[in-house]
Every structure is written in C-alpha cells, then in structure tokens.
Amino acid sequence: MEIVILPDPGAVARFGAAVLADLVRREPGAVLGLATGSSPLGIYAELAGLVSAGELDCTRATGFALDEYVGIPEDHPQSYASVIRAEVVEPLRMDPARVHVPDGRAADIPAACAAYEAAIRNAGGVAVQILGIGANGHIGFNEPTSSFASRTRIKTLAPRTRADNARFFDDPEDVPTHCLTQGLGTIMDARRLLLVAQGGGKAEAIAATVEGPVTAMAPGSILQHHPAVTVVVDEAAASKLRLADYYRHVFENKPEWQRIAVPPAS
C-alpha cells in the first residue's frame, strides 16, 4: 500500500482528483469504479471543476457504481442511481449510457448481480476503483465477515451502517435494510484502488485496514493483498496509524517519475 497523509479533506480531494484526472487524460475511455457516500464527494467536485474549466474530458469514460440500495425507487433522492447522476454524471458531463448502477429494483436479484459482473468484465474491467470506508471497516457494502472471494450480491446492512447513513434520510426508519454491492473479490479485480477517508471517525477503520491483520472482521484489510493501492487520508483519519511518520517519509521521498502533479488549493 501507498499511504498518503495530507493536512485536511480539501487536500485529500485534490490528490484523489489528480489521480483520476491523470488516468482519464492517458486513457480517455477508462473504466472508473464509482463510490458514493461522503468520502469521495470532494474528489468529484474537484473533477467537475477541471471539466468546467475545459481541462478534462470525461465524455468517453465508463463508470460502474459500487453499490445500490434495494427497495427504493430509482428516482428517490438517496438511491445511488440518483446520487451518481447528480454528483458524478452531470457535473463531469459523462455519457449516462456509459454509467452503470446495480439494479436494486430487479425482480430477479441474483440474475441482476450476475449481469452486473458480466457488464464489468465486458467493459474490460475497472481501471481505478474509488473507495470510501465505513466506521466498521466496510468497503462498498461488504460488512464485517464478508467473504474475500465475494462477487456482486445482496447484503443485509449492519445496524451501525444503517445508523451512519440515517443522516441522508428524513427518517432513520427509511434507511433500507438491504443493498446490492460489488463483492470484495470484484473490487480486488480492479487494476488500481484509491481509498479515501477523512475525519477521526474513520481512524480506527483506517488503522485496521492498513496495519491490522488481514481478517474478514475488517473487510478493508483485504486491500493489503492488492498490488496497487493508494490510501489517501487527512491527519484526523491517520491519527491511529502507528507508522504515520514512516508513511510521510516515504511519500516525501518518492522518485519524481512516481509523482502525480496535484494543483494547489484555489
């Protein structure tokens, strides 16, 4: 893993956006794995700024969302189809036909999950998968004890996850109990993984993911077995990392050819 510790959420967003922008400039038709939740919103906003300024063209890129709730309409403001459309597709001027979300309204859920896996394969696989992380260590909606070999499937959300997501709904009882999520095995198939986290509430999950044992109780820890992972966190999310000073030293001494140009704060 490459661990990048930055001063604040704004710096995390700028770094993450630089990684994505670098990919899309090199591969205009790149396949992007799109996470929802609060963690990647800053990245999408930074990318939208580049698009608006004419410095980035995402019209040929393809996107696959990590997950979707089961049982709420596609046009519900908190469905991930709606969130991806509002936060990613429209501001990045992506082609809606190229952006895919698991079908949480399908009559045949297993068939819909199998079709989603096939669509990712047929697109050539994900080039960069953006990830957030839950306070309990989940990535996507792969809750603790999820199989490391899992593929896209239905999952029951943990009570803590439902409680954390209640802030997005008018009533906590409106938070769905089930979701469709790419599995850990699916996520690990991406060529590169970009995990972002901000705030002290994610500090324990980040420490378990980066420095803890690889265990299904901390689903993010499976990322230790991926050959190309970048974990970008602010100081608060890094606060429980034992080797934080070493990670800073490594990042500060990267060879120039490994560095990605990150614009300064505007």
Side-chain angles (χ1 to χ4, degrees):
M1 287 182 170
E2 176 187 33
I3 315 302
V4 181
I5 301 172
L6 298 172
D8 52 51
V12 170
R14 290 189 295 277
F15 187 94
V19 171
L20 271 294
D22 179 70
L23 169 68
V24 173
R25 287 171 181 139
R26 288 185 289 105
E27 301 179 29
V31 179
L32 309 178
L34 303 172
T36 51
S38 57
S39 297
L41 289 180
I43 291 177
Y44 300 142
E46 291 287 337
L47 291 173
L50 294 175
V51 170
S52 295
E55 298 174 9
L56 184 66
D57 181 0
C58 295
T59 56
R60 292 166 56 193
T62 295
F64 285 91
L66 262 181
D67 36 40
E68 175 61 292
Y69 288 120
V70 170
I72 62 175
E74 183 175 353
D75 60 358
H76 188 289
Q78 295 308 322
S79 78
Y80 287 147
S82 292
V83 172
I84 289 289
R85 183 167 53 251
E87 302 291 349
V88 182
V89 177
E90 293 174 358
L92 270 59
R93 302 175 191 173
M94 296 180 73
D95 179 354
R98 292 178 175 269
V99 180
H100 312 276
V101 181
D103 187 0
R105 294 149 294 278
D108 186 338
I109 291 292
C113 293
Y116 202 67
E117 288 279 329
I120 294 172
R121 289 195 302 272
N122 292 340
V126 172
V128 174
Q129 176 66 62
I130 307 168
L131 296 168
I133 190 165
N136 67 356
H138 72 251
I139 55 174
F141 274 132
N142 294 282
E143 301 282 18
T145 73
S146 290
S147 167
F148 289 156
S150 55
R151 313 302 298 188
T152 302
R153 68 213 186 284
I154 191 168
K155 284 292 289 182
T156 302
L157 298 179
R160 182 173 184 179
T161 300
R162 292 188 71 236
D164 287 345
N165 287 5
R167 67 190 188 278
F168 299 117
F169 290 80
D170 294 334
D171 186 328
E173 292 303 314
D174 293 340
V175 182
T177 302
H178 295 92
C179 66
L180 302 186
T181 184
Q182 290 186 36
L184 295 172
T186 312
I187 291 168
M188 290 289 285
D189 282 346
R191 283 174 17 213
R192 183 174 183 181
L193 304 178
L194 176 66
L195 172 63
V196 295
Q198 308 94 350
K202 301 296 178 71
E204 289 189 3
I206 287 296
T209 293
V210 173
E211 296 178 340
V214 176
T215 169
M217 286 299 291
S221 65
I222 187 58
L223 304 188
Q224 294 179 32
H225 286 296
H226 195 281
V229 183
T230 301
V231 177
V232 190
V233 293
D234 65 4
E235 288 289 351
S239 61
K240 294 188 181 298
L241 291 172
R242 290 173 294 174
L243 298 181
D245 287 343
Y246 173 65
Y247 305 140
R248 294 187 184 95
H249 173 76
V250 171
F251 184 67
E252 289 167 1
N253 289 279
K254 286 183 70 171
E256 285 301 320
W257 58 269
Q258 285 189 326
R259 293 182 179 274
I260 291 176
V262 180
S266 57

